[in-house]
Amino acid sequence: DGGITQSPKYLFRKEGQNVTLSCEQNLNHDAMYWYRQDPGQGLRLIYYSQIVNDFQKGDIAEGYSVSREKKESFPLTVTSAQKNPTAFYLCASSTPLAGGSPHEQFFGPGTRLTVL
Amino acid sequence: EDKVVQSPLSLVVHEGDTVTLNCSYEVTNFRSLLWYKQEKKAPTFLFMLTSSGIEKKSGRLSSILDKKELFSILNITATQTGDSAVYLCAGLPYAGNNRKLIWGLGTSLAVNP
């Protein structure tokens, strides 16, 4: 079945540790996104990538890093520089906008990160 | 600054009621508005509206866009407890290959039996 998978579902980390969240899609989508969701704050864009080996900062990129070495994969690293990392992280993907009709973003099931 | 504002922020109704959720937007070079339903985990796509005045319908849910007044509504008729969720709307601008959605905070809907 086509879709987006995120792992792990729940993640606990100690303060000062880096942690990497996995996002994989088999929808053959070019564009991938990372969002953070906090209660009462809606979805905030961390990083996005339109194509392999290219990515751009979103609205709240500080303390995060990404890579896009393969079309299917867009892992997010939450570094120790991120001051308030406890949140629900959502990965999404979509087909490219250029040259065609706009397409919706499809979301993975999310990873809930808790910093102890 | 681009923004999307949803109202009300939360709503409690009884099964069988009809509800209307509102979404107003200020998005530079606006292209489309999207509605999503989020239950516990990932948001799931409901509608994408690009043209003004054309209703989109799926079962008991329907939505329409007014590009002159810059808003959209999502209607749910004969609500069921399974409709309880947060409903998100997002504006999509034209910006070359930029696919950044502008998200609202959501409307939390609770449908009581």
Side-chain angles (χ1 to χ4, degrees), chain A residues 102-104, chain B residues 3-6 21-27 29-36 45-52 56 63-67 70-74 88-93 99 101-104:
Chain A
H103 289 276
E104 66 274 20
Chain B
K3 62 181 179 182
V4 169
V5 178
Q6 294 185 245
L21 310 183
N22 304 299
C23 177
S24 65
Y25 64 89
E26 293 176 26
V27 176
N29 294 323
F30 174 82
R31 180 166 181 156
S32 301
L33 189 124
L34 292 83
W35 283 97
Y36 285 82
F45 173 74
L46 293 175
F47 299 111
M48 177 182 285
L49 303 145
T50 302
S51 300
S52 204
K56 292 217 171 177
S63 184
I64 198 161
L65 177 69
D66 186 327
K67 292 170 83 170
L70 306 182
F71 78 89
S72 174
I73 60 172
L74 175 68
L88 299 164
C89 77
L92 175 66
R99 295 299 315 273
L101 289 167
I102 316 296
W103 292 90

Side-chain angles (χ1 to χ4, degrees), chain A residues 21-37:
Chain A
L21 281 57
S22 167
C23 177
E24 304 277 331
Q25 54 98 0
N26 61 4
L27 299 167
N28 200 33
H29 286 169
D30 285 303
M32 297 186 75
Y33 311 81
W34 273 106
Y35 291 95
R36 170 181 172 143
Q37 190 173 35

Side-chain angles (χ1 to χ4, degrees), chain A:
Chain A
D1 281 33
I4 303 177
T5 57
Q6 290 185 242
S7 61
K9 189 174 178 180
Y10 298 96
L11 188 56
F12 298 88
R13 83 153 214 223
K14 293 182 181 178
E15 257 188 74
Q17 290 179 337
N18 291 358
V19 63
T20 297
L21 281 57
S22 167
C23 177
E24 304 277 331
Q25 54 98 0
N26 61 4
L27 299 167
N28 200 33
H29 286 169
D30 285 303
M32 297 186 75
Y33 311 81
W34 273 106
Y35 291 95
R36 170 181 172 143
Q37 190 173 35
D38 297 280
Q41 296 228 32
L43 290 170
R44 293 187 289 166
L45 183 66
I46 304 172
Y47 269 97
Y48 63 105
S49 168
Q50 298 291 331
I51 197 167
V52 174
N53 292 324
D54 187 46
F55 48 83
Q56 288 82 41
K57 292 182 179 180
D59 301 316
I60 55 164
E62 186 175 347
Y64 299 97
S65 66
V66 293
S67 63
R68 188 84 189 277
E69 296 175 5
K70 297 187 299 181
K71 187 175 184 177
E72 303 78 24
S73 178
F74 191 40
L76 173 75
T77 296
V78 184
T79 75
S80 55
Q82 169 50 232
K83 301 220 183 312
N84 294 298
T86 295
F88 186 50
Y89 291 88
L90 284 162
C91 178
S93 70
S94 69
T95 53
L97 177 61
S101 299
H103 289 276
E104 66 274 20
Q105 292 182 10
F106 293 88
F107 285 84
T111 292
R112 192 166 294 279
L113 173 65
T114 302
V115 174
L116 305 170

